[in-house]
Amino acid sequence: MRRRTPPPPAPLPQRDGVDPVRVRLPAGGEWATVGEHLVARLSGAGPGVIEAMFAAGRIVGADGRAVPADAPYRPGMFVWFHRELPAEVPVPFPLPVVYRDEHIVVADKPHFLATTPRGSHVTQTALARLRHDLGIPTLSAAHRLDRLTAGLVLFTVRPEERGAYQTLFGERRVAKEYEAVAPYDTALALPRTVRSRILKERGVQAAREIEGEPNAETRVELAERRGALGRYRLLPRTGQTHQLRVHLNALGVPILGDPLYPRVLPPVPAGDFRRPLQLLARRLEFTDPVTGAEHAFTSGRTLVAWSSYPRWAAD
């Protein structure tokens, strides 16, 4: 099997913790110049945007020099540039680091902060903020939490070691414990293990359970009851998108503050940080694949609907 040649290193530095965009010119096609191809390929940027970037020398090659728009098209060539980022509403919550060594960083992510750049969330992400704040441009996420979920996220420092830590999650060698606040149901017998097949389709906000071989498994326990509310301990064996939210909803106790389950609600305005989803990645435990150290990390966060339901409901 032929190994793919890795791309050359980026000739542009990160900006606000965000990598430059890398584009590889594909084989085939009938473009005569680099400019002709990029204008067609990046048409979503808007009229005249790509032409202006060429004119300003903001599109560069592997040597860091500006690539002229009329440079001959060469399949396999790489170019880099920084895209203009839309203004983002700052997520006004701290992002504490609970552990750091030369291999990994473990951060305690707040609600509403995406883990990695995606869609309209680019600089206001845990990865971009940590790269900037810690001065570690090579930092990468070993896994992800939903933007609305708070708690522990593992990042890797060295690119050559990232795969080893990602494999921990892929091979289910990380013990994960979550906490959720949801309605209490006297008819719901717990503890129990929920198994189902979850399908998350591209372009569809909510995941759904379908018939077929289970691909998602969660141990659900009731940690404590307080009137009409329960505090649940969730131990997932798998990591399907929205798995915990789907499973608690299927049990008839959807997580407080969930905008997708049991029904999809209209989007809230940017900057509306009221009523956060009451789901927290509480603990991570694993054997470090590089150093052999035994790690056990616990989030310092609490779920506000449990500590003060009136305050959460009044927000």
Side-chain angles (χ1 to χ4, degrees), residues 34-73:
V34 175
E36 185 181 324
H37 170 68
L38 290 187
V39 168
R41 181 169 179 173
L42 305 174
S43 58
V49 172
I50 302 304
E51 293 90 338
M53 291 174 65
F54 274 112
R58 291 169 49 201
I59 297 176
V60 305
D63 58 2
R65 296 180 181 179
V67 175
D70 60 358
Y73 185 90

Side-chain angles (χ1 to χ4, degrees), residues 2-160:
R2 240 177 120 185
R3 286 191 178 179
R4 248 179 112 181
T5 304
L12 296 175
Q14 291 173 353
R15 182 184 294 171
D16 295 325
V18 179
D19 291 321
V21 176
R22 183 186 72 224
V23 175
R24 184 177 188 271
L25 307 189
E30 299 179 354
W31 304 285
T33 65
V34 175
E36 185 181 324
H37 170 68
L38 290 187
V39 168
R41 181 169 179 173
L42 305 174
S43 58
V49 172
I50 302 304
E51 293 90 338
M53 291 174 65
F54 274 112
R58 291 169 49 201
I59 297 176
V60 305
D63 58 2
R65 296 180 181 179
V67 175
D70 60 358
Y73 185 90
R74 182 161 48 88
M77 176 183 177
F78 289 96
V79 295
W80 288 260
F81 58 89
H82 280 290
R83 60 176 167 146
E84 287 299 323
L85 301 176
E88 296 180 54
V89 177
V91 178
F93 308 114
L95 176 62
V97 171
V98 299
Y99 179 81
R100 176 182 177 181
D101 64 22
E102 59 186 314
H103 306 284
I104 62 174
V105 170
V106 180
D108 204 353
K109 187 183 82 66
H111 296 287
F112 302 107
L113 187 68
T115 301
T116 57
R118 187 176 182 183
S120 61
H121 306 285
V122 182
T123 58
Q124 288 300 305
T125 60
L127 179 61
R129 279 172 56 169
L130 289 171
R131 281 175 170 177
H132 179 269
D133 295 347
L134 302 180
I136 308 177
T138 57
L139 201 69
S140 295
H143 67 122
R144 289 197 317 198
L145 288 183
D146 291 341
R147 185 178 67 89
L148 300 182
T149 303
L152 299 176
V153 185
L154 174 66
F155 298 87
T156 63
V157 174
R158 299 173 175 174
E160 66 272 20

